[in-house]
Amino acid sequence: MAWNTIKGNTGGFVGSFIAIAAGSAVITACGILLVSGLGAGVIPERYSGAAVVLGAQQSFSLDESSEVRYSERVTLPADRVAAVAAVPGVRSAISDVNVEVSVLIPDGAAVGGSNGFPVLGHGWSAGALGPFRVREGRAPSAPDEVVLDADLAARGDVSLGAMVRLVVGSIPSSYRVVGIATAPAGLDRQSAVFFTDDQATKLSGRPHRVDAIGVLAEPGVTPHELAERITAAVPGVVAHTGAGRGDVEFLDVGDARSMVVETAASFGGTMVLIVVFVVSSTLALSVRQRRRELALLRAIGATPAQIHWMINAEMTLVSSVGAAVGAIPGVVLAFVMRGVFVLAGAMPPDFQMQVGLLPILASLVLCMISARLAGWLVARRVAKVSPVEALGDAAVEPKKLGWVRLTIGVLLIPLGLLLALGNVASPGDSAADTAGSAVLLFVVALGCLGPLLLRGALVLFGWILNRRSTASGFLARSNAGTNSRRLSAASTPLAMGVALAAVQVFAASTTIAGAQHQLKDGLRADHVLTASSGTGVSPQVVDAVRGVPGVAVATPVARMQVLLTFPSEDSTATKVLAAQGVAPERLSETMDLAVIQGDIADLHGEAVALSRVAAETVHGRVGGTTEVHLGDGTVIKPRVVAIYENGLGFGDVTLPNGLVVAHTTAQVDTAVLIRSADGTDAKALAGALRGAVERYPTVQVDDREAFLSVPGAGGEGDWALNLLFQTVLLGYIAIAVVNTLMMATAARVREFAMLQLIGASRDQVRAMMNGEARIVVFSALLFGLLATIPPLIGISLGLTRSPIPSISLIGLIAIVALTIALSRGAITTATRYAMRPAPVDAIGGRE
């Protein structure tokens, strides 16, 4: 029966098929990303000869299922090397440090790393982990001697015995090239410079810490067995074998793996729930169009259980085919998502994807379960109706909504207003998050009250949308008023999509506008020093420019990402926040943080200043303490000395500059802000500054606008992730909307035939449908945008203390244009399809 029903009512199942196929594509893509994050990565290069590579714990566990990566490299105590070497089965334990350098050849030009990746300096003993072999010359033996990898030497046209200048931070030094080395695995993601071990340790700035420990195994000892022995004997180390060694060598790979696993699992789970909702709504419309057929089955003896089994069988057949068809574009979508991650800098370009059967099979099973669940939800209502009641259903829809549906819809509106504007959530960014989530309540309210709201819109605005003086206008308004539920089934999902899209777009524009406003108003510097190579500005540069005539204040700024842990109800919570390190002396002359409480001049030692939003979130107060995990995992409990307003523009956490610099990987500043003395000529000062930093070849002098483009403290790819996932989510909702519109319109074949038989022309029928499309578009935009007002006000109040959000005009135009295109395109196409049969043939067709 299920198979025959599908063949006889193909149009009714097309919508469900498309919804399942699209859902399968998204779930398959998330599955491929998840599997890739768990098992893929990048093959190690300098560590390819090591059986096991040991690193520190590079992430902080938020709970049993999620973690956040530290933004800086977490190092190990140097005494761990001897402890590892003593473990049975270890042939050799070799420490390694990474020192980012810029290579300047004799003509002053900089030679970049391989494929745009950095040039890293190491001690020569770490070369055994490749293993690197000296192709020409010898190993370095003096502090001013280096060995270059063969590819780097070739790109810089550097020969054996030549002198090169290497810049560490901003400090240049001359070295003689005494060797050219090669590695069996090659270097695609980096270039290598080898110093003596003592010189590498000195340049790293951490004489008692190492970045990693490479382990060479005794013959007959497997890497997995050796890793277990080491972790059991030596505390505080994390062992990596196989492709996992690349996570220690390349921090961006580990960051990407963690990000991919977390986001793919989260978004994939969300998509499963959305597939259930969309397929349920699509199937409900299909079943509503077949209600007399199902009633007839009940009347001739079919039991409720048989109706259940038939609908479930239909969903099994449709979902199995739809999920299989959707898997192919799902593979393509996975690579598209990977491309977006790479463009946003959230994933390295050589991150490998693993495409296998497991994600496809998982998508097939999840889609079938989701479709069966949707079928069960829809069949429950149909099977409950008695045969006599079902056969007696009128073709005209009931005017009143069910009291349960009406009550839920009415109650959700004040509840949404309370969440958005009533300060129900904890203060801080939780208030903005709660206000943003309130849109979901308004979306559900739209679904419950859709027909009622549509009738109200027709009473108020119907005369504007369609004139009664024309036949098509009269028909459109009459149809909309009589069949408001049918039209609401088309306009309500569209309004939901409008509301969700508008909140996402306008919340982002409000946040960006607030940050730009704070940064523009708070930045008081006249000039900014940055590093042309992206390696940062050494603290010595600050001392050099402070003595330049005309410089009133020089403020170094270092950035990182920190974690704040704070009590929350019966447990603790952790927030990831952007932090900056500054020198507090005369800070307001270069950077105005708009201090509300306390004194920023007290920012010395273990002290911290918090933005208002951060302080409200972590319950911080002036004079109290808060737990801060710095970028390299170091935990401190600084006292709060000030609370300020301009957190969106400058970061939610401000720490002493020396503290931040000491715990960054490169131990350098991000920028230096310069404020000129009164009466100083700007051009003359810029020239003097260039003269002062001339001995620092990577430092450049820019105007204050350069500070806006200085790289932040991590999370630069978050916007891309949010945009990508919201685009996919809203795209899927758009598919559901188009499905609903086309199914509802295409099912009106007999109605269109009857209108033509009683005298209406085909143009008049099309004009009637255009009128209905105007009603659908207008009501969707009206109620969708109205539903976004309270959440956006709440978000703006929480972040900027202003009740007026920033509305992106381009975003608004895009939402309106997309709404019009989706609705008119779907209705026009479906109307053309429904009017293909001759009226005489269509009027006698099956319902």
Side-chain angles (χ1 to χ4, degrees):
M1 286 185 66
W3 179 244
N4 289 329
T5 303
I6 293 173
K7 289 195 298 182
N9 189 29
T10 305
F13 289 96
V14 168
S16 298
F17 173 84
I18 294 175
I20 293 170
S24 172
V26 178
I27 295 173
T28 299
C30 291
I32 292 173
L33 289 172
L34 179 61
V35 171
S36 300
L38 291 173
V42 174
I43 298 173
E45 294 177 352
R46 288 186 303 101
Y47 296 156
S48 59
V52 181
V53 177
L54 305 174
Q57 181 59 258
Q58 192 63 43
S59 58
F60 177 82
S61 296
L62 298 176
D63 51 45
E64 295 180 356
S65 59
S66 62
E67 60 183 25
V68 59
R69 298 270 297 183
Y70 290 115
S71 61
E72 309 294 326
R73 182 179 287 276
V74 182
T75 57
L76 291 170
D79 59 12
R80 291 289 193 276
V81 180
V84 172
V87 175
V90 174
R91 176 162 60 92
S92 178
I94 303 170
S95 64
D96 184 33
V97 295
N98 296 276
V99 181
E100 187 165 356
V101 301
S102 299
V103 181
L104 304 180
I105 56 179
D107 63 0
V111 182
S114 175
N115 299 320
F117 288 104
V119 180
L120 298 175
H122 315 273
W124 173 247
S125 63
L129 300 175
F132 281 83
R133 307 293 184 192
V134 177
R135 190 182 70 186
E136 302 177 48
R138 57 177 175 81
S141 58
D144 61 347
E145 295 179 348
V146 293
V147 170
L148 305 183
D149 78 71
D151 183 62
L152 177 62
R155 288 199 312 276
D157 195 21
V158 177
S159 59
L160 196 66
M163 297 296 295
V164 294
R165 283 206 301 168
L166 302 181
V167 182
V168 178
S170 306
I171 311 302
S173 300
S174 295
Y175 294 85
R176 182 174 299 280
V177 178
V178 297
I180 306 294
T182 59
L187 299 179
D188 295 324
R189 303 191 87 252
Q190 62 190 309
S191 294
V193 175
F194 292 98
F195 304 90
T196 62
D197 291 349
D198 290 341
Q199 182 68 4
T201 300
K202 177 183 176 182
L203 293 175
S204 73
R206 300 182 178 90
H208 304 296
R209 311 288 296 185
V210 297
D211 291 350
I213 302 173
V215 180
L216 304 180
E218 293 283 2
V221 181
T222 65
H224 181 71
E225 178 186 359
L226 186 58
E228 290 183 342
R229 292 181 188 178
I230 294 172
T231 52
V234 183
V237 298
V238 181
H240 301 264
T241 60
R245 295 170 296 172
D247 292 359
V248 185
E249 186 171 357
F250 311 113
L251 285 185
D252 59 337
V253 175
D255 295 343
R257 282 160 58 96
S258 177
M259 178 273 297
V260 166
V261 169
E262 183 176 350
T263 55
S266 174
F267 188 67
T270 303
M271 280 305 304
V272 171
L273 298 178
I274 292 175
V275 167
V276 174
F277 172 77
V278 170
V279 174
S280 296
S281 62
T282 306
L283 184 60
L285 179 59
S286 174
V287 170
R288 191 183 311 139
Q289 294 170 352
R290 297 164 52 202
R291 62 188 183 276
R292 290 187 178 275
E293 171 192 329
L294 297 174
L296 180 61
L297 289 175
R298 292 292 315 280
I300 61 176
T303 64
Q306 288 174 319
I307 297 295
H308 268 288
W309 278 108
M310 185 186 73
I311 293 178
N312 283 334
E314 292 169 356
M315 282 294 94
T316 300
L317 291 171
V318 173
S319 62
S320 59
V321 178
V325 171
I328 298 174
V331 175
V332 177
L333 179 60
F335 281 89
V336 172
M337 294 169 74
R338 175 191 177 279
V340 174
F341 292 161
V342 171
L343 287 175
M347 180 183 288
D350 55 347
F351 188 88
Q352 300 296 316
M353 298 287 282
Q354 288 187 355
V355 180
L357 287 178
L358 183 59
I360 297 175
L361 292 176
S363 174
L364 183 65
V365 172
L366 289 172
C367 285
M368 291 181 66
I369 293 175
S370 302
R372 288 289 296 267
L373 178 59
W376 179 79
L377 292 172
V378 172
R380 283 179 68 247
R381 181 177 180 183
V382 176
K384 284 181 180 179
V385 180
S386 68
V388 175
E389 182 183 350
L391 286 172
D393 276 350
V396 178
E397 297 175 344
K399 290 286 185 182
K400 294 183 179 180
L401 296 177
W403 68 270
V404 175
R405 177 178 176 178
L406 184 62
T407 302
I408 293 174
V410 170
L411 290 178
L412 284 176
I413 295 176
L415 182 59
L417 292 172
L418 188 65
L419 285 180
L421 306 173
N423 294 324
V424 173
S426 301
D429 60 355
S430 296
D433 293 342
T434 303
S437 63
V439 71
L440 299 176
L441 298 182
F442 292 113
V443 164
V444 177
L446 283 175
C448 294
L449 303 177
L452 193 62
L453 295 173
L454 183 62
R455 290 192 206 119
L458 285 172
V459 171
L460 294 175
F461 306 105
W463 62 276
I464 300 175
L465 299 172
N466 292 291
R467 294 178 298 170
R468 283 189 177 274
S469 57
T470 63
S472 57
F474 172 80
L475 287 172
R477 290 186 62 182
S478 299
N479 258 334
T482 305
N483 299 295
S484 58
R485 289 197 178 190
R486 181 180 66 192
L487 208 60
S488 173
S491 63
T492 300
L494 201 58
M496 293 177 176
V498 168
L500 292 173
V503 165
Q504 292 297 328
V505 172
F506 300 147
S509 64
T510 298
T511 303
I512 293 172
Q516 291 176 341
H517 175 74
Q518 291 182 4
L519 193 55
K520 181 179 178 181
D521 288 354
L523 186 61
R524 305 290 177 82
D526 301 308
H527 301 280
V528 178
L529 304 184
T530 58
S532 58
S533 60
T535 54
V537 180
S538 294
Q540 294 91 325
V541 176
V542 182
D543 298 330
V545 298
R546 278 177 174 159
V548 173
V551 172
V553 184
T555 302
V557 181
R559 287 175 173 170
M560 69 162 49
Q561 179 177 283
V562 299
L563 312 178
L564 265 62
T565 302
F566 57 95
S568 177
E569 298 179 353
D570 297 331
S571 60
T572 58
T574 301
K575 294 292 292 185
V576 182
L577 298 172
Q580 63 174 356
V582 300
E585 292 79 16
R586 301 174 66 179
L587 178 64
S588 60
E589 296 183 38
T590 56
M591 177 191 298
D592 182 13
L593 297 178
V595 175
I596 303 171
Q597 300 176 34
D599 189 353
I600 202 71
D602 296 331
L603 195 69
H604 295 281
E606 285 202 356
V608 64
L610 301 175
S611 71
R612 173 187 58 83
V613 174
E616 292 174 347
T617 301
V618 304
H619 315 296
R621 57 181 178 81
V622 174
T625 61
T626 187
E627 183 175 310
V628 180
H629 297 249
L630 299 176
D632 65 350
T634 302
V635 181
I636 61 173
K637 289 190 175 181
R639 72 186 187 283
V640 179
V641 298
I643 295 175
Y644 55 91
E645 182 63 36
N646 291 345
L648 284 177
F650 295 97
D652 287 306
V653 179
T654 298
L655 294 159
N657 178 258
L659 181 64
V660 173
V661 168
H663 294 278
T664 58
T665 301
Q667 297 180 299
V668 292
D669 289 306
T670 307
V672 180
L673 304 181
I674 305 293
R675 179 66 182 267
S676 59
D678 294 339
T680 303
D681 180 73
K683 290 184 178 180
L685 179 59
L689 289 172
R690 291 188 180 93
V693 301
E694 187 175 4
R695 62 182 182 274
Y696 305 110
T698 59
V699 177
Q700 59 188 16
V701 180
D702 294 301
D703 57 22
R704 64 196 304 270
E705 299 299 324
F707 189 70
L708 305 180
S709 59
V710 170
E716 287 84 1
D718 288 350
W719 66 269
L721 299 184
N722 291 331
L723 178 61
L724 173 64
F725 288 127
Q726 292 303 328
T727 300
V728 173
L729 176 60
L730 294 174
Y732 188 71
I733 293 175
I735 291 174
V737 169
V738 172
N739 262 341
T740 303
L741 289 170
M742 295 195 71
M743 288 176 63
T745 305
R748 298 167 66 180
V749 175
R750 298 180 67 190
E751 176 189 336
F752 295 160
M754 183 186 67
L755 288 172
Q756 292 179 78
L757 290 174
I758 63 176
S761 66
R762 297 174 72 88
D763 289 340
Q764 286 177 319
V765 174
R766 291 194 188 96
M768 176 192 75
M769 293 308 297
N770 287 335
E772 291 190 20
R774 286 193 292 272
I775 295 173
V776 168
V777 170
F778 178 80
S779 58
L781 290 173
L782 174 65
F783 298 120
L785 293 176
L786 284 176
T788 66
I789 293 176
L792 289 176
I793 292 176
I795 291 171
S796 184
L797 284 171
L799 295 179
T800 66
R801 284 187 169 182
S802 169
I804 303 175
S806 176
I807 305 300
S808 167
L809 182 60
I810 296 176
L812 179 61
I813 292 174
I815 290 173
V816 173
L818 187 59
T819 303
I820 294 173
L822 286 176
S823 56
R824 289 188 67 90
I827 291 175
T828 301
T829 303
T831 301
R832 191 172 300 153
Y833 169 81
M835 293 178 63
R836 286 192 307 172
V840 174
D841 297 331
I843 199 67
R846 59 179 292 172
E847 187 176 32

